[in-house]
């Protein structure tokens, strides 16, 4: 079993819709949970991170962590075609900074 | 631009061959991570180096090896290549333990390896 599970999608939504992405994790030792965004033919880049449980909002993006159910979520409000990318959840870091990534969910926002 | 440079961007080779992928981390970053990304396996951690020393190993095959040099650049060597080794190989760097978002990795644009 992978430490971080994520539905690979693809997830197709119309412009303006809310995108909901989810991951589950098995290792409770790590306190930080991240979302990375990866555009086609590019490397992943950090979108946002949360510490322990709770919500964090950054513009149209909201990240949630529910440690009781080991669930990580990312919501994108008022989705735009420019949000079309693969979104990877991750948890960590270990003592040397390593992160465990989910497989990534491909999101397509259609105009 | 993440500041992490990977070469080559694309590589096509035949089964049984050997290739070397190169990574230059961001200025000042001591940690280098190698990840493999394929359609069916997602982003898989291979190996990590910190200031020239190996610190963590993931699902790295024995046919693969890596090193980090005194100038902090790193190379990933893939030998006896098989069709299944075709993938995107990413290098990432970080300043372990200080600065930025906790656990933030800065990724290069990857080296796309195709084994025919």
């Amino acid at each position: 079993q992978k430490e971080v599970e994520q539905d690979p999608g693809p997830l197709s939504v119309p412009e303006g819709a809310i995108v909901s992405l989810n991951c589950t994790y098995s290792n409770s030792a790590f306190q930080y949970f991240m979302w990375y965004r990866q555009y086609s033919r590019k490397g992943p880049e950090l979108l946002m991170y949360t510490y322990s449980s709770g919500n964090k909002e950054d513009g149209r993006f909201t990240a949630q962590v529910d440690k009781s159910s080991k669930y990580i979520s990312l919501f994108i409000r008022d989705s735009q075609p420019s949000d079309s990318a693969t979104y990877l959840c991750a948890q960590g870091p270990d003592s040397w900074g390593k992160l465990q990534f989910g497989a990534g969910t491909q999101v397509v926002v259609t105009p | 631009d993440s500041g992490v440079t990977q070469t080559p961007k694309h590589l096509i080779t035949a089964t049984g061959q050997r290739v070397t992928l190169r990574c230059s981390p961001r200025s000042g970053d001591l940690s280098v991570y190698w990840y493999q990304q394929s359609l069916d396996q997602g982003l898989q951690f291979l190996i990590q180096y910190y200031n020239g020393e190996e610190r963590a190993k993931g699902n790295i095959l024995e046919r693969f090896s890596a090193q980090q040099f005194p100038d902090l650049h790193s190379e990933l060597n893939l030998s006896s290549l098989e069709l299944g080794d075709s993938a995107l190989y990413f290098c990432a760097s970080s300043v372990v333990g200080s600065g930025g978002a906790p656990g933030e990795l800065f990724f290069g644009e990857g080296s796309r390896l195709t084994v025919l």
Side-chain angles (χ1 to χ4, degrees), chain B:
Chain B
D1 183 2
S2 67
V4 178
T5 303
Q6 288 188 250
T7 57
K9 290 193 186 308
H10 302 278
L11 194 54
I12 301 174
T13 189
T15 54
Q17 295 298 305
R18 172 190 171 95
V19 299
T20 297
L21 310 180
R22 181 188 169 100
C23 169
S24 293
R26 290 191 323 156
S27 176
D29 285 357
L30 299 179
S31 264
V32 169
Y33 310 77
W34 286 98
Y35 284 86
Q36 179 193 58
Q37 187 176 46
S38 57
L39 280 175
D40 57 343
Q41 292 292 319
L43 200 59
Q44 297 286 312
F45 169 71
L46 295 178
I47 197 165
Q48 177 199 0
Y49 281 83
Y50 177 80
N51 202 22
E53 294 189 15
E54 181 185 306
R55 287 300 177 186
K57 252 184 178 179
N59 300 321
I60 187 166
L61 300 171
E62 285 191 13
R63 300 183 286 108
F64 296 0
S65 65
Q67 55 184 326
Q68 186 180 28
F69 295 86
D71 66 354
L72 300 179
H73 91 271
S74 178
E75 292 181 357
L76 179 66
N77 301 295
L78 315 175
S79 61
S80 302
L81 286 168
E82 302 176 359
L83 297 178
D85 297 328
S86 296
L88 260 174
Y89 291 85
F90 284 105
C91 169
S93 73
S94 76
V95 176
V96 177
S98 67
E104 180 169 9
L105 302 184
F106 295 88
F107 284 82
E109 295 201 345
S111 293
R112 182 175 295 278
L113 173 66
T114 302
V115 182
L116 300 176

Side-chain angles (χ1 to χ4, degrees), chain A:
Chain A
Q1 180 191 6
K2 295 185 68 172
E3 291 199 16
V4 181
E5 299 278 357
Q6 185 176 8
D7 186 338
L11 181 64
S12 183
V13 300
E15 183 175 356
I18 294 176
V19 176
S20 175
L21 302 170
N22 302 296
C23 293
T24 58
Y25 64 93
S26 57
N27 191 336
S28 299
F30 301 116
Q31 298 296 316
Y32 288 96
F33 302 89
M34 297 90 173
W35 285 94
Y36 279 73
R37 178 175 59 194
Q38 183 179 15
Y39 290 115
S40 179
R41 303 183 185 281
K42 297 291 186 181
E45 57 181 355
L46 181 66
L47 184 60
M48 57 193 306
Y49 71 95
T50 55
Y51 175 76
S52 194
S53 279
N55 294 2
K56 184 172 184 177
E57 192 172 311
D58 184 1
R60 297 183 295 109
F61 298 86
T62 300
Q64 287 184 350
V65 177
D66 183 344
K67 296 193 80 174
S68 62
S69 59
K70 297 184 180 178
Y71 214 68
I72 314 166
S73 301
L74 178 71
F75 301 96
I76 308 174
R77 292 183 301 279
D78 187 25
S79 57
Q80 303 295 310
S82 58
D83 295 326
S84 297
T86 296
Y87 292 81
L88 301 103
C89 58
Q91 66 165 159
D94 67 8
S95 56
W96 291 103
K98 182 166 64 73
L99 302 180
Q100 291 288 347
F101 283 91
T105 300
Q106 184 186 4
V107 172
V108 178
V109 181
T110 55

